[in-house]
Amino acid sequence: MTRVSLITGGAGGMGTATAKVVGRDHAVVLCDVRQDRLDGALAELRDLGIAATAVHCDVTDRQAVDELFDTASGLGPVTSVIHAAGVSPSMGDGDHVMRTNALGTVNVNEVFYAAAGDGAAIVNVASMAAHLLPDELIPTGQFPLAMRDDEAFMSSMATACGIGGEQARSGLAYAISKNFVKWYSSSQAERFNARGLRIVSVSPGSVDTEMGRLEEQAGAGAMVADAAVPRWGKPEEMAELFAFCVSDRAGYLTGTDILNDGGVVASMRERARVAQAG
């Protein structure tokens, strides 16, 4: 039976690049909120001989996510999910960023947990931003609210994102929401393992995609220039890692985050240490 790989945010740069990798031995289902980009990605994949299906889906809508998995399961067993859907600070206000990145992750992962069969794996795309925010600014104690009360979670996160004023709210929402993705992927590992499932997060740095370039003038460009590897990451470099994480070759990998940022975080931490020591 044909194995199926489901990719959210599948029409984005990293999503489409990942489809080209997993599509070598899986049927691929792409979901995205932008129909125009979905149509383009689908045509590109079919030109490469990859069996692909496109589904217009907003991951913040649990019913839509249920229907997405129903479509994917109708093609064969869903053995892997790459959850790349998300928005950056330049793409909306703090509420939109938090709802999409955090609650969207809960929706996709909980439906995966309920629907996937033994041996399946999911990788959630976090961000290097999850590694840069001071621990005291991360409301980890309130994160479990997302599992039981969406609005209580959003209210709590709005308070946490308000400490820097309105100008900083969207950026803080992004960093905190990606911390949530990282936390969720770790905290749920034991529960997922009880059903024979693996869950991992990957934190990309600045990647040369449409979304990545939106943040170039907001600070990402400077971080790239100062990184240990002073260039933008390639979508294909992220895609190969995502594909490995959900493959059988990574069968012992779960409950952790992989930082793939060209050494940005390492460089920043070491420079801060040297400056403090001096």
Side-chain angles (χ1 to χ4, degrees), residues 12-278:
M14 291 192 294
T16 304
T18 304
K20 293 175 183 178
V21 179
V22 298
R24 296 167 188 163
D25 54 5
H26 288 73
V28 176
V29 174
L30 305 181
C31 100
D32 208 284
V33 292
R34 286 177 54 180
Q35 188 64 51
D36 58 331
R37 292 207 310 174
L38 266 176
D39 294 341
L42 194 63
E44 185 178 352
L45 293 173
R46 287 179 173 171
D47 284 346
L48 296 172
I50 294 172
T53 301
V55 178
H56 186 264
C57 174
D58 180 350
V59 297
T60 67
D61 181 341
R62 176 67 73 95
Q63 182 177 342
V65 174
D66 280 330
E67 292 169 358
L68 169 67
F69 273 81
D70 286 344
T71 297
S73 298
L75 301 173
V78 177
T79 58
S80 60
V81 174
I82 297 89
H83 175 45
V87 294
S88 67
S90 297
M91 297 171 69
D93 62 19
D95 183 87
H96 177 63
V97 170
M98 184 63 66
R99 193 173 294 277
T100 302
N101 294 352
L103 294 182
T105 292
V106 173
N107 287 341
V108 171
N109 281 259
E110 291 301 318
V111 176
F112 167 78
Y113 175 82
D118 184 66
I122 186 167
V123 59
N124 294 306
V125 179
S127 168
M128 70 176 175
H131 294 259
L132 293 172
L133 201 62
D135 288 347
E136 57 268 24
L137 298 183
I138 306 169
T140 310
Q142 304 303 310
F143 282 172
L145 284 171
M147 307 282 288
R148 58 181 185 267
D149 189 330
D150 287 4
E151 295 315 310
F153 171 78
M154 290 297 296
S155 176
S156 178
M157 294 304 105
T159 300
C161 295
I163 60 169
E166 283 307 308
Q167 190 171 0
R169 185 179 290 275
S170 189
L172 276 170
Y174 182 75
I176 291 172
S177 67
K178 291 301 189 179
N179 264 283
F180 175 86
V181 174
K182 184 168 165 280
W183 168 85
Y184 179 93
S185 302
S186 174
S187 68
Q188 303 307 305
E190 187 173 351
R191 180 168 72 100
F192 275 48
N193 184 66
R195 288 207 59 244
L197 307 174
R198 293 189 300 107
I199 178 172
V200 178
S201 63
V202 171
S203 289
S206 296
V207 183
D208 192 5
T209 62
E210 178 184 337
M211 189 171 96
R213 290 291 182 174
L214 279 175
E215 304 306 319
E216 185 170 9
Q217 301 307 315
M223 286 193 288
V224 168
D226 287 341
V229 181
R231 65 168 174 82
W232 288 74
K234 300 173 184 176
E236 295 78 13
E237 291 170 319
M238 302 301 155
E240 292 287 354
L241 179 56
F242 299 159
F244 171 75
C245 287
V246 295
S247 74
D248 294 340
R249 293 171 295 161
Y252 199 53
L253 183 68
T254 195
T256 193
D257 180 81
I258 300 172
L259 178 61
N260 190 17
D261 70 337
V264 169
V265 173
S267 294
M268 292 178 71
R269 286 178 176 164
E270 178 58 12
R271 289 175 184 179
R273 184 197 65 79
V274 170
Q276 189 174 25

